[in-house]
Amino acid sequence: MSLLLPPLALLLLLAALVAPATAATAYRPDWNRLSGLTRARVEVRTPVKAFVTQDIPFYHNLVMKHLPGADPELVLLGRRYEELERIPLSEMTREEINALVQELGFYRKAAPDAQVPPEYVWAPARPPEETSDHADL
């Protein structure tokens, strides 16, 4: 039985070392699915409360919708409020959520009541691919 103990201890140590490497990684946007992204809402409980209470007011076109008992999610919406994607937030830190929202193109204001520059009014929507004004000629 003593021969079994060292390999078992090594196996447990290996499992402990591998677990952090296989933990949830940061969300990577699928830009093909998000071509019509114009706004989002955060559906949240307490795990990301700091982001909700302190950061959301600074973002343009990002609103919070509280659903009791729901897991926190960032719901990405299109121009007609159609759902494009849901991103789970419960495993993310406040910093990771802020980085994600900015990577998605949401404009962060200097103050919650600050004006939004004209070029960011429709952010995070991206303009359609450039087309010629004379494409029909």
Side-chain angles (χ1 to χ4, degrees), residues 41-52:
R41 70 177 181 258
V42 176
E43 298 176 355
V44 65
R45 285 193 302 174
T46 54
V48 290
K49 190 172 186 173
F51 173 77
V52 170

Side-chain angles (χ1 to χ4, degrees), residues 10-44:
L10 286 174
L11 183 61
L12 291 174
L13 178 61
L14 180 63
L17 292 174
V18 172
T22 60
T25 59
Y27 172 82
R28 303 300 317 154
D30 177 359
W31 293 109
N32 294 326
R33 283 191 64 193
L34 303 178
S35 63
L37 177 64
T38 57
R39 61 186 53 86
R41 70 177 181 258
V42 176
E43 298 176 355
V44 65

